[in-house]
């Protein structure tokens, strides 16, 4: 797979859905928690969100591994491999810490830029539509390489 295509697949199949997942966590937290601006409650929400993100990453291991195997660029390859939850324990911990920080930022940014009506309104639906369309585009771009059907290879 050529490098340009790997970047496109990465953006549509992994990066945009990852950011949408963070947005859903931020929106869901702020919609469900009374006084969500409390530092203690935001910390607990970010901790729960980081474990949810860790579980989500388990579902994208195959595409990550396939993409990392097809690119010879050291930095980008290591970046892809960083998000693998099957790696060394300290990398798993680093993933959880990164997700904790990003989830905390997501809850803060949602609370800052959206009012309560937008948060409990249709913001989750819009985010899920963006995630779905992005995933479909990414899967379409590299269906042959991401397929688990042995006849495709």
């Amino acid at each position: 797979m050529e490098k340009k295509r790997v970047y496109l697949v990465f953006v549509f199949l992994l990066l945009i859905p990852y950011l949408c997942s963070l947005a859903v966590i931020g929106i869901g937290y702020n919609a469900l928690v009374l006084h969500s601006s409390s530092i203690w409650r935001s910390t607990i929400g970010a901790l729960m969100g980081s474990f949810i993100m860790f579980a989500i990453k388990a579902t994208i291991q195959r595409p990550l591994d396939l993409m990392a195997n097809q690119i010879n660029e050291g930095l980008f390859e290591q970046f892809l491999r960083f998000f693998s939850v099957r790696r060394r324990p300290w990398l798993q911990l680093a993933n959880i810490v990164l997700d904790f920080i990003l989830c905390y930022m997501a809850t803060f940014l949602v609370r800052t830029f959206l009012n309560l009506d937008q948060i409990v309104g249709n913001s989750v639906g819009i985010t899920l539509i963006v995630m779905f369309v992005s995933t479909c585009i990414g899967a379409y771009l590299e269906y042959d390489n991401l397929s688990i059907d042995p006849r495709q290879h």
Side-chain angles (χ1 to χ4, degrees):
M1 180 171 21
E2 63 184 61
K3 188 158 94 171
K4 181 178 166 184
R5 197 169 185 121
V6 170
Y7 287 128
L8 275 175
V9 171
F10 172 74
V11 167
F12 284 109
L13 193 62
L14 302 170
L15 183 63
I16 292 173
Y18 184 79
L19 295 175
C20 288
S21 296
L22 288 170
V24 167
I25 288 170
I27 292 165
Y29 171 77
N30 283 295
L32 295 172
V33 175
L34 189 61
H35 305 297
S36 61
S37 61
S38 157
I39 292 175
W40 169 250
R41 290 181 181 182
S42 292
T43 301
I44 296 299
L47 183 63
M48 293 301 105
S50 66
F51 288 121
I52 291 169
M53 291 299 290
F54 189 77
I56 289 172
K57 286 178 185 176
T59 66
I60 62 168
Q61 292 309 292
R62 179 166 166 69
L64 276 176
D65 292 341
L66 288 171
M67 287 174 37
N69 289 337
Q70 293 185 15
I71 193 156
N72 295 327
E73 189 177 307
L75 183 61
F76 187 60
E77 179 184 358
Q78 290 307 312
F79 178 74
L80 289 173
R81 294 199 186 278
F82 172 77
F83 288 102
S84 176
V85 294
R86 292 185 247 169
R87 301 284 301 233
R88 287 171 241 139
W90 70 271
L91 283 174
Q92 292 174 345
L93 180 62
N95 261 296
I96 291 173
V97 169
L98 174 66
D99 287 337
F100 172 81
I101 293 167
L102 293 175
C103 286
Y104 193 92
M105 288 174 47
T107 61
F108 177 78
L109 291 173
V110 165
R111 188 170 49 247
T112 302
F113 291 108
L114 298 178
N115 62 40
L116 187 59
D117 290 337
Q118 292 168 324
I119 290 172
V120 297
N122 56 5
S123 56
V124 169
I126 292 169
T127 305
L128 290 176
I129 288 172
V130 170
M131 183 186 299
F132 177 74
V133 169
S134 174
T135 304
C136 288
I137 291 170
Y140 173 76
L141 287 171
E142 276 309 313
Y143 176 77
D144 291 339
N145 288 328
L146 299 176
S147 175
I148 59 174
D149 185 4
R151 296 174 297 193
Q152 294 289 330
H153 302 295

